[in-house]
Amino acid sequence: ITLEPPPPCDSGMTNLYSSEFYALMRERLKPGGIVCQWVPMHETAASQWKMMIAAAEREFPEVSLWEPNNGEAIIVGSTAPLKIDFHQLAERIADVRIRPSLTDVGLGSASALLSTYINSGKTLRNFVAGVPALTDDRAQIEFSLPYSDRHIFNFDLEPISTPIAPLLANVTEPDLKELANNRQSMKLLRQAMQAKVDGDGKKAEVLIDNALVLVRDNEFFEYAKKHADQVLE
């Protein structure tokens, strides 16, 4: 099940990010099925954003967090541990009906897509520990000001980023090397965002240049180099 409803701060949308909604989806999954949900970070208070993650953690035994770009995050919920066949994923991405769209945003390979993984399991649970899960009867996000707390930024996720290798199957040493380069490029992008927030635009540009060295011919980083102000906002 995949979905991308409007942001939870919009009237009537909070219930599509609540524990009760995740429970409904979990009940409808087939064995081995997963739920893939957008959890926006852009202009979202950190404490409120964690409530959405906590809601998924409350209903799914397995939850992983992914961050494909600066202001967006994805959670994947399942009833069984996630195991990813690297070569099968690479073959699916190579499909001419799929690859062009992913390439446009810099995710045109298995390594690039997998580099957006942040963490799962205990590390993610500890990250949201102490934060109440978003529920239908306590939909605080819908009634809160977006500036009621410090915003969540992509660089806030760097300290909790963990290796994805334990989730992979059918992966070779060259695959792992390419994946390491892509993950390092994402780390540099988060550092560039932090530099931009700190007011150091020059440092942000250098960091993006360094990322591009690691992932040559990546359309997203090529665009980021030319339009850093748009990408790092």
Side-chain angles (χ1 to χ4, degrees), residues 18-197:
S18 69
S19 292
E20 290 86 350
F21 187 59
Y22 286 126
L24 288 173
M25 290 192 286
R26 187 195 68 233
E27 292 170 2
R28 285 158 177 75
L29 289 179
K30 294 180 179 179
I34 63 173
V35 166
C36 184
Q37 163 78 309
W38 175 60
V39 280
M41 300 172 67
H42 184 63
E43 294 188 355
T44 302
S47 57
Q48 296 171 8
W49 187 79
K50 287 182 178 182
M51 291 175 65
M52 293 185 280
I53 310 299
E57 285 280 4
R58 178 171 167 175
E59 301 301 331
F60 289 101
E62 302 289 335
V63 178
S64 57
L65 176 64
W66 306 70
E67 187 251 325
N69 65 40
N70 293 337
E72 317 287 348
I74 302 290
I75 49 174
V76 174
S78 61
T79 56
L82 196 62
K83 200 67 177 178
I84 303 168
D85 186 305
F86 186 95
H87 283 181
Q88 184 182 69
L89 178 63
E91 289 175 358
R92 290 181 176 181
I93 291 177
D95 190 315
V96 294
R97 297 167 297 177
I98 298 172
R99 187 166 188 172
S101 296
L102 289 175
T103 299
D104 285 347
V105 292
L107 302 177
S109 69
S111 294
L113 185 61
L114 294 172
S115 71
T116 68
Y117 171 80
I118 297 296
N119 66 27
S120 58
K122 184 178 180 180
T123 306
L124 185 57
R125 288 192 293 272
N126 289 342
F127 182 61
V128 299
V131 176
L134 182 65
T135 58
D136 287 345
D137 62 341
R138 294 185 179 275
Q140 294 99 317
I141 293 179
E142 186 172 342
F143 303 101
S144 298
L145 294 173
Y147 295 95
S148 58
D149 188 11
R150 176 190 174 279
H151 287 176
I152 183 82
F153 291 100
N154 67 337
F155 53 79
D156 292 319
L157 305 181
E158 184 59 38
I160 62 168
S161 178
T162 58
I164 192 174
L167 303 185
L168 301 180
N170 200 16
V171 60
T172 66
E173 284 300 322
D175 295 331
L176 291 173
K177 183 177 180 179
E178 181 184 357
L179 178 58
N181 283 343
N182 277 275
R183 284 182 64 83
Q184 179 64 17
S185 71
M186 293 298 289
K187 179 177 181 177
L188 291 170
L189 181 63
R190 295 183 194 111
Q191 292 175 350
M193 183 65 177
Q194 184 161 20
K196 179 67 182 299
V197 170

